[in-house]
Amino acid sequence: MTVWDDLVGQDRVREQLAAAAKDADALVTAVSAREPVEQGSKMTHAWLFTGPPGSGRSTAARAFAAALQCTSPDRALGGEPGCGFCDGCHTSLIGTHADVQVIRTDLLSIGVKETRDLVRRAQLSPAVGRWQVIVMEDADRLTEGAGNVLLKAVEEPAPRTVWMLCAPSLEDVLPTIRSRCRHLTLGTPPVEAVADVLIRRDGVDPERAHSAARATQGHIGRARRLATDERARARRAAVLRVPLRVADVGGCLKAAQELIDTATDDAKQMADEVDVKETEDLKAALGGVAGGRMPRGTAGAMKELEDKQKRRKTRTQRDSLDLALTELTGFYRDVLALQLGSRIAIANVDVQDSLDRIAESSTPAQTLRRIEAVIACRQAMDHNVAPLLAVEAMTMSLRSG
């Protein structure tokens, strides 16, 4: 299995990256042998992967990073880098390669301090691999100050350093940064391709795999979670009952509170899994004794960890809410398709009765206004409106249509 096998429905992107990896391999080989470097290489020092959520941006970047570190002997015989079996490919894909740094954040933003640390690392020569690779999965979360710090590194890169930035769209990245990157745009994978991956790689029952892929409209990560996690299926079922529960003001307020409570429970579950271990590990590193007082001068480090955990909990809650709003948008999109007699495939066939009921009792204009209400709720939370107020306003708008 090559490193490219996880790029679902992205044949054009796969071809571009494979060609660039081959040129990169030839470039390193030529430099090592002190031979002249061929002109017109498809390899460059900075890449920007864009595409809708679930398209596989970070998967493509990781696969490319692995191909750049490939040490397969087949390369000398004309084979493409990215075998998936050599030490370079394997350690890159599982996240243990010394020269591949993957940056993802579970906080609301990536700040200046973290970015400066990355820039310092980017100036180093590869320790054991062929390239120094830095994959930033959430480049759209860079603060303006952090973006300006990163700009300098992208403008004047070290000879063997490659930056790979991932973002939903070009507009989510500073113009000065994106103008110095090579752009790769990924599309939403076909539903059948996602279902095939779930069946082949994750061993999911074919019927459930197709249902999950259809319900998530080709979002690979969400489809996998929906197919393998009972809690995710229960949460989605609760969200899709909301359109039927907003018949009166009391129902609107209750539905809004339950959406907030579900998101809060998701955040708490993650905190329970991660925060305790993080805290204990830091205490041990600072010389603390179980059940005893912490040494002097460690209060600042503990406070910094607490602040980080609080920001992560906020991010998790917002992500969970955003997922619920995405599913509501998909529900009303299906309603509109039924009202207009569209031939597009219905995503939420498992709640066909609810779709028919809402479609028959409302007009296309009302459905469009309801979709706009969901979008307005997402925008309000982006501007730090209190989640409960934003969701209550949305459910009231869903009632009135």
Side-chain angles (χ1 to χ4, degrees):
M1 186 175 81
T2 70
V3 299
W4 312 112
D5 287 351
D6 284 344
L7 290 185
V8 181
Q10 310 292 347
D11 294 341
R12 181 181 58 82
V13 170
R14 172 176 174 165
E15 290 173 4
Q16 290 178 282
L17 292 178
K22 195 166 186 177
D23 284 356
D25 182 62
L27 177 64
V28 173
T29 302
V31 171
S32 300
R34 301 194 177 188
E35 297 175 351
V37 177
E38 293 185 11
Q39 299 299 315
S41 172
K42 297 180 176 63
M43 182 58 188
T44 188
H45 68 281
W47 297 76
L48 177 56
F49 297 80
T50 60
S55 58
R57 300 185 303 259
S58 59
T59 300
R62 286 167 177 261
F64 188 31
L68 292 180
Q69 305 292 8
C70 183
T71 57
S72 169
D74 292 342
R75 294 176 297 108
L77 303 176
E80 289 188 354
C83 65
F85 297 102
C86 70
D87 184 65
C89 288
H90 180 67
T91 54
S92 297
L93 291 175
I94 66 174
T96 59
H97 196 290
D99 295 315
V100 177
Q101 178 82 2
V102 179
I103 308 303
R104 69 178 69 84
T105 182
D106 45 18
L107 305 179
L108 296 174
S109 61
I110 301 174
V112 172
K113 181 179 180 296
E114 302 97 304
T115 308
R116 281 180 178 155
D117 292 340
L118 285 178
V119 170
R120 280 193 289 269
R121 178 189 175 100
Q123 300 306 312
L124 301 175
S125 298
V128 295
R130 302 167 68 80
W131 296 88
Q132 177 80 251
V133 182
I134 300 178
V135 179
M136 184 174 287
E137 294 188 353
D138 301 294
D140 54 308
R141 295 186 181 273
L142 285 165
T143 63
E144 184 175 354
N148 291 329
V149 171
L150 178 62
L151 174 61
K152 187 69 174 175
V154 174
E155 276 184 326
E156 301 175 5
R160 297 270 287 278
T161 295
V162 182
W163 288 89
M164 301 182 190
L165 311 180
C166 305
S169 69
L170 293 176
E171 288 70 28
D172 290 315
V173 181
L174 286 176
T176 48
I177 293 179
R178 67 175 183 249
S179 66
R180 290 163 175 80
C181 297
R182 183 166 296 171
H183 304 162
L184 282 177
T185 302
L186 287 77
T188 301
V191 169
E192 287 300 322
V194 174
D196 179 66
V197 168
L198 295 179
I199 296 169
R200 174 171 46 85
R201 189 177 57 190
D202 300 301
V204 177
D205 174 75
E207 183 177 352
R208 177 169 290 178
H210 282 89
S211 176
R214 186 169 52 246
T216 57
Q217 289 295 283
H219 190 301
I220 301 171
R222 284 173 49 206
R224 180 177 293 113
R225 184 180 178 191
L226 194 61
T228 58
D229 187 348
E230 182 62 38
R231 288 184 71 255
R233 292 194 289 273
R235 185 197 51 73
R236 173 177 173 272
V239 170
L240 296 184
R241 286 195 294 268
V242 168
L244 298 177
R245 301 179 57 199
V246 294
D248 53 53
V249 173
C252 292
L253 299 180
K254 186 175 181 181
Q257 186 63 62
E258 288 181 1
L259 285 177
I260 296 296
D261 290 343
T262 300
T264 303
D265 289 344
D266 282 348
K268 185 177 184 301
Q269 182 186 24
M270 177 173 285
D272 290 343
E273 294 173 355
V274 179
D275 290 2
V276 174
K277 185 178 185 305
E278 276 186 347
T279 302
E280 293 302 322
D281 288 348
L282 181 59
K283 285 182 177 179
L286 295 174
V289 180
R293 297 181 62 180
M294 292 295 295
R296 284 188 176 184
T298 60
M302 296 301 298
K303 180 66 166 59
E304 183 178 352
L305 177 61
E306 290 173 6
D307 291 342
K308 174 185 174 182
Q309 291 172 344
K310 184 178 179 180
R311 293 195 301 272
R312 181 168 60 206
K313 188 178 293 186
T314 301
R315 160 83 187 271
T316 305
Q317 183 186 30
R318 290 188 180 182
D319 284 351
S320 180
L321 269 177
D322 190 68
L323 176 56
L325 298 178
T326 300
E327 288 167 342
L328 273 179
T329 304
F331 179 94
Y332 285 114
R333 168 260 194 197
D334 286 347
V335 170
L336 187 63
L338 291 173
Q339 291 173 328
L340 298 178
S342 172
R343 295 182 179 179
I344 65 171
I346 298 300
N348 300 288
V349 292
D350 51 331
V351 290
Q352 185 73 50
D353 291 345
S354 298
L355 294 173
D356 292 337
R357 181 174 169 183
I358 299 296
E360 292 169 1
S361 62
S362 61
T363 65
Q366 287 178 307
T367 303
L368 283 173
R369 286 195 293 271
R370 285 165 173 156
I371 292 174
E372 290 171 352
V374 179
I375 295 172
C377 180
R378 297 179 71 177
Q379 293 173 339
M381 289 196 294
D382 283 342
H383 290 87
N384 292 322
V385 173
L388 182 58
L389 291 179
V391 177
E392 285 179 345
M394 179 196 72
T395 54
M396 294 295 289
S397 296
L398 295 181
R399 173 176 174 265
S400 61

